[in-house]
């Protein structure tokens, strides 16, 4: 389905998909404020492959057909760039991050990072995840009311700081937590998220201006991260199980170690990509589990079928209904609505269209997960669908796919299951606001609007 067309590079010779003719500004505002409505009505009007204009990005082709997604995820990775399209993320992660790299350097960094989030190494973190969860929920008291995401973020941030940085409780640990949380909160609404999408808003007008404040927080975080790197170099504590140790002892093909700046960028990538995403997914899971009483009952039945308090983390991670609940949570409102863009390195024929070099292909995870032909009654939360059939990686793709698939996929699923099992086997919670909840933009991801408000009813 993917072939290279003729030698022409003149715009008028290309056959592009249909899409809205609304001005870019209007399309961008809709994408920020009413993303679901904008996506669903575009798919209704133009089908599974349509064109969109968003933010400062070049023309994007939005794709939600499994056949087309398969073509993209299985294509030769040399056909596409991606990193150069992730400039919106660069203010957080820096220019040496795996997310903004392309080609050989991207592959090398992936190879380096992937093993740390899989297999034995990942399972070794299971105990840490359960302990951190226990510590956080030990603070909960009967009758206490709380909002799910900040509590879950407290857990997932500590998990990343321990597993990636090898940081133990202490002053620097607390400072990193505080600055990073404030930095992410700078984008905690559609309005504040606009900062990322409009270059002209990115002006440092002093500490009180939104962008100026963001830059100062980033600088403070950089100082803390560099302090940690320097201290580790002096102490030569490279033997730890954490990911920083692994990165510090790695050598490239010329035998060179990573520089401080490269280390900083990869650490920021893990912090940025790895904890808020998981926390949002956990907040949604708590919402659905308490919104639909039968889901909670079935889950408790399954958890009670094993000796949950003494169970091995791997046993918990293999529970089928718990897996189905986590999968359905990530299906119905995926944390990332889109994959990273795939940018054509040459003119290309794609599903009957002739696309010019430089076009962005964006796989729309949200729309694919809401196809009624794959997921009947797509707006219903029904974990059973994951027990009844297996979905292909082009039908169910909360972590994207192909050579850009999320490197934290297995880790995030593992963490979600352990955190949920630990909470549910300890407390009975109650959802305080039973109105339906929709996702709203929070920076580059989508989180529950209004927040998931819960109360602690009982302790077991
Ligand atoms: C529920 C939690 C998470 C979700 C929903 C999620 C989702 C995603 C998605 C959709 C992508 C883009 C994939 C593509 O374009 O095909 C991605 C990329 C990435 N994710 Fe995650 N992620 C999660 C957790 C994590 C964690 C825990 C880490 C690491 C600590 C992580 C690190 C990354 C990195 C480094 C990339 C870029 C990969 C590359 O460019 O090659 N993510 N993630």
């Amino acid at each position: 389905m993917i072939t290279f067309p003729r030698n022409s590079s003149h715009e008028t010779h290309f056959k592009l998909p249909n899409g809205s003719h609304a001005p870019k500004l209007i399309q961008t505002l809709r994408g920020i404020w009413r993303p679901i409505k904008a996506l669903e009505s575009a798919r209704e009007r133009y089908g599974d492959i349509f064109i969109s204009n968003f933010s400062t990005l070049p023309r994007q082709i939005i794709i939600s057909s499994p056949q087309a997604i398969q073509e993209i995820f299985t294509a030769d990775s040399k056909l596409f760039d991606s990193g150069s399209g992730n400039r919106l993320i660069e203010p957080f992660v820096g220019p040496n991050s795996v997310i903004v790299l392309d080609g050989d350097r991207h592959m090398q960094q992936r190879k380096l990072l992937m093993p740390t989030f899989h297999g034995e190494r990942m399972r070794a973190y299971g105990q840490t995840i359960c302990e951190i969860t226990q510590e956080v929920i030990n603070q909960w008291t009967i009758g206490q009311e709380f909002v799910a995401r900040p509590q879950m973020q407290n857990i997932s941030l500590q998990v990343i700081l321990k597993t990636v940085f090898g940081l133990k409780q202490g002053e620097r640990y607390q400072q990193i937590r505080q600055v990073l949380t404030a930095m992410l909160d700078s984008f905690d609404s559609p309005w504040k998220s606009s900062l990322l999408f409009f270059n002209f808003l990115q002006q440092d007008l002093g500490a009180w201006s939104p962008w100026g404040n963001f830059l100062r927080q980033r600088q403070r975080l950089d100082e803390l991260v560099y302090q940690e790197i320097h201290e580790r170099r002096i102490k030569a504590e490279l033997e730890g199980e954490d990911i920083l140790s692994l990165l510090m002892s790695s050598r490239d093909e010329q035998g060179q170690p990573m520089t401080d700046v490269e280390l900083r960028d990869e650490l920021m990538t893990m912090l940025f990509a790895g904890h808020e995403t998981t926390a949002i997914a956990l907040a949604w899971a708590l919402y659905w589990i308490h919104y639909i009483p039968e889901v909670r009952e079935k889950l408790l039945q399954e958890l009670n079928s094993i000796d949950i308090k003494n169970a091995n983390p791997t046993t918990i991670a293999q529970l089928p209904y718990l897996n189905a609940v986590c999968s359905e949570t990530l299906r119905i409102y995926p944390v990332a609505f889109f994959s990273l863009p795939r940018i054509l390195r040459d003119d290309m024929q794609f599903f009957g269209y002739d696309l010019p070099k430089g076009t962005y292909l964006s796989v729309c995870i949200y729309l694919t997960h809401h196809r009624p032909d794959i997921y009947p009654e797509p707006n219903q939360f029904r974990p059973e669908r994951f027990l009844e059939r297996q979905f292909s990686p082009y039908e169910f793709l909360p972590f994207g796919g192909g050579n850009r698939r999320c490197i934290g996929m297995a880790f995030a699923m593992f963490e979600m299951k352990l955190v949920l099992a630990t909470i549910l086997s300890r407390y009975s919670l109650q959802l305080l606001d039973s109105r339906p909840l929709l996702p709203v933009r929070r920076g580059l991801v989508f989180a529950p609007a209004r927040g998931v408000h819960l109360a602690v009813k009982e302790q077991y």
Side-chain angles (χ1 to χ4, degrees), residues 162-420:
K162 285 237 163 81
T163 55
V164 175
F165 286 66
L167 270 180
K168 301 183 184 64
Q169 289 282 4
E171 203 182 328
R172 187 167 311 137
Y173 178 92
Q174 294 303 344
Q175 285 172 335
I176 293 184
R177 263 180 64 184
Q178 206 184 347
V179 181
L180 184 71
T181 308
M183 199 167 134
L184 290 170
D185 283 346
S186 320
F187 304 98
D188 68 356
S189 68
W191 174 241
K192 294 194 210 161
S193 305
S194 306
L195 263 184
L196 287 174
F197 304 113
F198 295 110
N199 287 347
F200 68 87
L201 294 176
Q202 297 176 2
Q203 308 282 342
D204 182 0
L205 302 174
W208 294 103
S209 66
W211 192 250
N213 181 36
F214 166 73
L215 293 179
R216 280 159 186 78
Q217 280 163 344
R218 189 182 65 184
Q219 194 187 344
R220 180 72 194 116
L221 189 57
D222 276 354
E223 284 163 13
L224 292 165
V225 171
Y226 282 127
Q227 275 169 18
E228 181 64 25
I229 295 173
H230 290 160
E231 212 166 276
R232 288 285 199 99
R233 283 210 197 280
I234 293 165
K235 286 193 194 156
E237 276 178 7
L238 305 183
E239 73 291 351
E241 282 292 288
D242 56 88
I243 291 161
L244 176 56
S245 300
L246 179 102
L247 296 179
M248 287 180 88
S249 54
S250 70
R251 296 291 176 270
D252 67 13
E253 277 151 12
Q254 283 76 45
Q256 293 302 311
M258 288 173 75
T259 64
D260 285 2
V261 178
E262 285 169 340
L263 283 170
R264 176 264 175 209
D265 287 1
E266 271 336 356
L267 290 173
M268 287 301 292
T269 304
M270 305 298 125
L271 271 180
F272 173 70
H275 90 285
E276 198 186 38
T277 42
T278 312
I280 293 170
L282 277 165
W284 275 123
L286 286 174
Y287 168 74
W288 289 114
I289 291 167
H290 296 92
Y291 186 65
I292 307 175
E294 304 85 72
V295 171
R296 179 170 175 270
E297 266 160 44
K298 271 192 171 175
L299 199 50
L300 285 179
Q301 243 173 37
E302 186 179 68
L303 293 174
N304 289 334
S305 71
I306 58 171
D307 177 8
I308 189 77
K309 290 205 169 124
N310 299 307
N312 182 319
T314 316
T315 312
I316 298 175
Q318 283 165 350
L319 293 171
Y321 193 69
L322 179 59
N323 181 61
V325 169
C326 292
S327 302
E328 180 69 344
T329 297
L330 290 167
R331 178 198 71 81
I332 193 161
Y333 294 139
V335 179
F337 273 24
F338 296 94
S339 72
L340 301 172
R342 273 43 171 195
I343 307 164
L344 270 53
R345 296 181 76 174
D346 214 331
D347 299 348
M348 186 182 274
Q349 281 183 345
F350 183 78
F351 280 77
Y353 299 107
D354 289 341
L355 306 177
K357 178 179 168 176
T359 304
Y360 277 38
L361 300 184
S362 284
V363 169
C364 184
I365 301 171
Y366 176 86
L367 283 179
T368 311
H369 284 182
H370 284 255
R371 289 181 66 102
D373 56 340
I374 306 174
Y375 302 102
E377 298 186 282
N379 293 322
Q380 297 298 314
F381 185 86
R382 222 174 60 78
E384 287 71 16
R385 53 175 112 237
F386 283 88
L387 302 173
E388 289 157 6
R389 66 161 279 204
Q390 262 212 308
F391 298 98
S392 83
Y394 320 112
E395 295 171 332
F396 179 61
L397 49 142
F399 298 96
N403 73 327
R404 287 277 166 180
R405 194 176 77 181
C406 175
I407 61 170
M409 175 173 101
F411 188 86
M413 284 298 274
F414 191 53
E415 184 176 345
M416 277 180 79
K417 291 172 186 176
L418 296 184
V419 172
L420 289 174

Side-chain angles (χ1 to χ4, degrees), residues 20 55 63 67 110 127 130 145 152 168 182 219 284 363 389 411 431 433:
S20 166
S55 177
I63 295 157
Q67 292 76 14
R110 267 186 83 90
Q127 211 54 45
C130 293
E145 297 182 3
M152 296 303 105
K168 301 183 184 64
Q219 194 187 344
W284 275 123
V363 169
R389 66 161 279 204
F411 188 86
L431 189 63
D433 183 347

